[in-house]
Amino acid sequence: MGPLAGVTVVALEQAVSAPMCTRTLADFGARVIKVENPAGGDFARHYDDVVLGQAAHFVWVNRGKESVALDLKSEAGVAVLHRLLAGADVLVSNLAPGAVGRLGLSSAELAERYPELISVEIDGFGAGGPLSHKRAYDLLVQAESGVCAVTGTADAPAKPGPPMADVTTGLYAALSILAALYERDRARPAAPSGAAKRGNGGAEGTSIAVSLFDTMAEMMGYHLTYARHSGIDQLPLGMSSPAVAPYGAYPTRDGRTVVLGTTNDREWQRLATAILDRPDLAADERFRTNPGRTGHRAELDEAIAGWCAQHDLAEIQRIADAAGIGNSQYNRPSEVLDHPQLVERNRWRDIETPAGSIPSLLPPAILSGYDPPMNPVPGLGEHTAAVLAEFGYAAEEIATLRASSVIGGEAPAEAIS
């Protein structure tokens, strides 16, 4: 069943942020009805075709959903959407600026029409500011919020590889929804034993707004705090950190790269003595505290790099483990696919897609006694007829909507015959 069994989510979503939010809810057992434009659907479906002809982004964040192809530019299509919302617990959207309001789905309108609905709008920059009207993509927000300035190196700033603004905003939105569901159910009168929690009555709806920019500003908390109180913009250090030293990546004798990290003075002492066999460094007053070590990072990196260049990766990791020093190896994505930490813990599962079965990672959170459903990735409009029938539309009405191009998706076989 899952902790969110019985919760119905309607999603007006595209790209990554809202789909990540709703996929997280689906992983916990919620029902997610993804409303897509019949003419192509979520544009992330077409970013590439590397997954059996499907896009990698799309199959990543859209498993476990039902797709309803619905033309929201038509009055009839909006009427169908309202039928879905009347039976929903949550609406999640991340459309272009102003699009939700033009559909008559502003938070005020939704609160009046659906008092129990939790409405969540994910946007780029938040309402009420000079950038609120602008489109916001992951790269744009990461650049605007300062993230790119603290990633890469001083002469080559970079965007983090994963879409951090999209993903973290989607997760914040999912967390906010869980809080709103808890508050809604806590405010309701106790249901009879065995009764479902869904239904009308008990609490007013909740409006939630989460922006990519605000989320990335939160992710920049350390750097913003440091800049405010020091007046210094810290320079990015590639695979190192401006906050602690030594902490970085070093080439090994066998052509690999080891990552070694310390987070306190005791660990530095162990690294210097038990790994480098350099008691002189351990006793050097310049390196006694972390501020001193960060101020003399180059000397430390030179000593560590020289030692690592004389040893193979496996030997370095064995010695570091014995000394209690954090370490890892630098891996490329292709090397992570069969990573033993994933394989031996059975973290991959096969899921279905319209083009066939593919491996998919289990969600990160492991709940005792609960196996995530890992349901299929939907084809565009695959569930349109079934969902509309469930929400009260007769077969003749569905046929009429399809004939007028209000809905998409293939007609059921019995209707075709």
Side-chain angles (χ1 to χ4, degrees):
M1 290 291 290
L4 294 184
V7 173
T8 298
V9 180
V10 172
L12 306 179
E13 60 180 20
Q14 53 198 7
V16 175
S17 59
M20 173 58 76
C21 169
T22 58
R23 197 211 78 180
T24 301
L25 301 177
D27 286 339
F28 288 129
R31 179 186 190 184
V32 177
I33 300 174
K34 181 183 180 79
V35 176
E36 302 186 70
N37 187 332
D42 182 341
F43 54 71
R45 285 182 178 273
H46 312 290
Y47 279 166
D48 55 58
D49 60 1
V50 300
V51 187
L52 306 179
Q54 305 160 109
H57 272 94
F58 188 84
V59 299
W60 167 41
V61 292
N62 284 286
R63 67 168 181 246
K65 304 178 186 181
E66 301 168 61
S67 173
V68 170
L70 188 58
D71 179 9
L72 295 180
K73 294 181 179 179
S74 67
E75 290 186 9
V78 173
V80 174
L81 174 62
H82 278 289
R83 182 81 69 91
L84 300 181
L85 292 177
D89 299 279
V90 182
L91 168 65
V92 177
S93 65
N94 71 326
L95 304 182
V100 173
R102 290 191 295 272
L103 288 172
L105 301 175
S106 69
S107 58
E109 291 168 306
L110 289 170
E112 180 177 356
R113 188 162 182 175
Y114 308 108
E116 277 215 328
L117 184 70
I118 297 166
S119 63
V120 183
E121 184 173 4
I122 298 173
D123 66 7
F125 293 101
L131 303 184
S132 298
H133 66 288
K134 294 176 70 71
R135 286 183 177 270
Y137 306 133
D138 185 86
L139 169 62
L140 307 181
V141 172
Q142 296 214 42
E144 191 78 36
S145 62
V147 173
C148 294
V150 299
T151 309
T153 59
D155 58 349
K159 183 190 86 66
M164 299 302 298
D166 283 333
V167 171
T168 52
T169 303
L171 295 176
Y172 262 107
L175 177 63
S176 301
I177 290 168
L178 295 179
L181 287 168
Y182 175 80
E183 174 62 19
R184 185 196 68 176
D185 288 353
R186 185 176 65 170
R188 284 177 172 164
S193 177
K197 289 185 177 181
R198 287 188 65 250
N200 294 323
E204 295 183 359
T206 301
S207 173
I208 298 170
V210 189
S211 77
L212 275 70
F213 183 78
D214 289 347
T215 301
M216 285 286 77
E218 170 65 18
M219 295 296 102
M220 285 287 291
Y222 161 74
H223 296 89
L224 297 180
T225 301
Y226 193 98
R228 179 181 295 279
H229 294 281
S230 70
I232 297 172
D233 285 321
Q234 292 178 313
L235 297 177
L237 297 172
M239 286 185 65
S240 187
S241 166
V244 292
Y247 195 96
Y250 308 95
T252 66
R253 182 171 60 187
D254 54 348
R256 302 297 299 276
T257 298
V258 68
V259 181
L260 297 172
T262 61
T263 58
N264 56 60
D265 298 337
R266 294 185 305 279
E267 289 183 357
W268 154 244
Q269 291 290 320
R270 294 202 303 273
L271 189 151
T273 57
I275 296 181
L276 302 182
D277 193 21
R278 291 286 303 273
D280 58 312
L281 294 181
D284 194 317
E285 186 63 22
R286 294 175 301 167
F287 308 139
R288 185 176 62 82
T289 65
N290 187 63
R293 292 193 296 277
T294 57
H296 297 87
R297 185 188 308 276
E299 294 97 314
L300 293 181
D301 281 343
E302 182 179 2
I304 298 170
W307 184 85
C308 289
Q310 301 173 27
H311 299 79
D312 292 346
L313 172 67
E315 182 185 9
I316 295 171
Q317 291 197 278
R318 177 183 58 78
I319 295 172
D321 284 341
I325 297 299
N327 64 90
S328 69
Q329 65 184 46
Y330 166 82
N331 287 320
R332 295 178 178 84
S334 58
E335 295 171 308
V336 178
L337 293 175
D338 295 319
H339 196 295
Q341 193 67 13
L342 296 175
V343 173
E344 292 183 20
R345 295 166 59 241
N346 197 27
R347 296 295 297 164
W348 290 102
R349 294 288 188 278
D350 286 339
I351 64 170
E352 296 302 319
T353 78
S357 177
I358 63 168
S360 183
L361 279 171
L362 286 165
I366 302 173
L367 278 64
S368 61
Y370 174 64
D371 291 325
M374 304 297 285
N375 286 328
V377 175
L380 175 58
E382 178 183 347
H383 305 91
T384 305
V387 170
L388 265 60
E390 181 183 343
F391 278 75
Y393 283 89
E396 296 79 7
E397 294 176 291
I398 295 173
T400 299
L401 291 169
R402 178 170 284 107
S404 57
S405 299
V406 172
I407 63 173
E410 294 184 2
E414 60 270 19
I416 296 175
S417 60

